[in-house]
């Protein structure tokens, strides 16, 4: 038996997916967030296991991990990783902000040119009517 994570991701529970919020996007976001929380819990347990095994074998004491202070290079690497991580997580919001800014610029440009969607639609209807 082979394990294909992509196939597994497509598995569905029987019945309809429960809906908790009026907005389906909110339900979708909650599902994604809970999946990430589950992954984090599993990763946390694995780190805990590694720490306990290292301590049990006398390789490293957990207090060393708690007291570890990264040097400048390690701190810089961690800082960059955190920035990239946060950027990936908040990518959707960043894209929405960029889209909002683009839309606002387009609206401002249309106002400057005295053009509106309504005007363009009216022109299109008139053009179709005369053709």
């Amino acid at each position: 038996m082979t394990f294909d994570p992509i196939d597994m991701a497509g598995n569905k529970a029987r019945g309809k997916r429960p809906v908790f919020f009026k907005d389906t996007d909110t339900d979708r976001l909650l599902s994604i967030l809970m999946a990430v929380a589950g992954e984090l819990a599993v990763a946390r347990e694995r780190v805990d296991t590694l720490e306990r095994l290292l301590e049990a074998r006398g390789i490293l004491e957990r207090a060393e991990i708690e007291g570890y202070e990264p040097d400048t290079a390690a701190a810089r690497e961690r800082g960059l990783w955190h920035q990239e991580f946060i950027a990936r997580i908040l990518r959707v919001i960043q894209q929405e902000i960029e889209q909002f800014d683009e839309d606002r610029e387009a609206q401002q440009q249309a106002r400057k040119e005295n053009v509106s969607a309504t005007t363009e639609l009216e022109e299109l209807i008139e053009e179709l009517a005369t053709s």
Side-chain angles (χ1 to χ4, degrees):
M1 180 174 183
T2 58
F3 175 75
D4 185 349
I6 295 174
D7 279 346
M8 295 289 291
N11 288 348
K12 297 177 187 171
R14 291 184 183 183
K16 292 182 90 176
R17 176 181 287 277
V19 176
F20 303 102
F21 299 98
K22 289 180 183 175
D23 184 359
T24 56
D25 288 340
T26 303
D27 276 308
R28 210 172 289 127
L29 182 61
L30 180 62
S31 293
I32 293 169
L33 182 62
M34 295 311 296
V36 172
E39 293 292 327
L40 177 61
V42 170
R44 175 68 184 92
E45 284 185 20
R46 292 184 65 90
V47 168
D48 181 66
T49 300
L50 288 170
E51 289 177 0
R52 291 176 189 276
L53 288 172
L54 289 170
E55 187 172 52
R57 294 181 181 168
I59 297 171
L60 182 65
E61 291 187 19
R62 298 180 82 182
E64 291 178 71
I65 294 171
E66 296 297 327
Y68 175 76
E69 291 189 27
D71 61 17
T72 304
R76 183 179 302 132
E77 282 182 35
R78 286 182 176 190
L80 289 173
W81 185 87
H82 281 137
Q83 288 176 354
E84 292 170 7
F85 181 67
I86 296 299
R88 282 193 308 270
I89 290 175
L90 299 179
R91 185 183 68 216
V92 170
I93 294 171
Q94 179 65 31
Q95 290 171 348
E96 287 183 10
I97 290 170
E98 290 171 359
Q99 185 64 48
F100 177 78
D101 289 342
E102 288 175 13
D103 291 347
R104 186 173 50 195
E105 288 173 14
Q107 288 172 356
Q108 289 172 346
Q109 185 65 28
R111 278 190 213 114
K112 284 181 186 174
E113 296 174 2
N114 200 19
V115 175
S116 70
T118 305
T119 304
E120 290 180 4
L121 182 60
E122 289 169 352
E123 289 173 0
L124 179 62
I125 291 170
E126 187 177 315
E127 188 178 309
L128 290 172
T130 57
S131 61

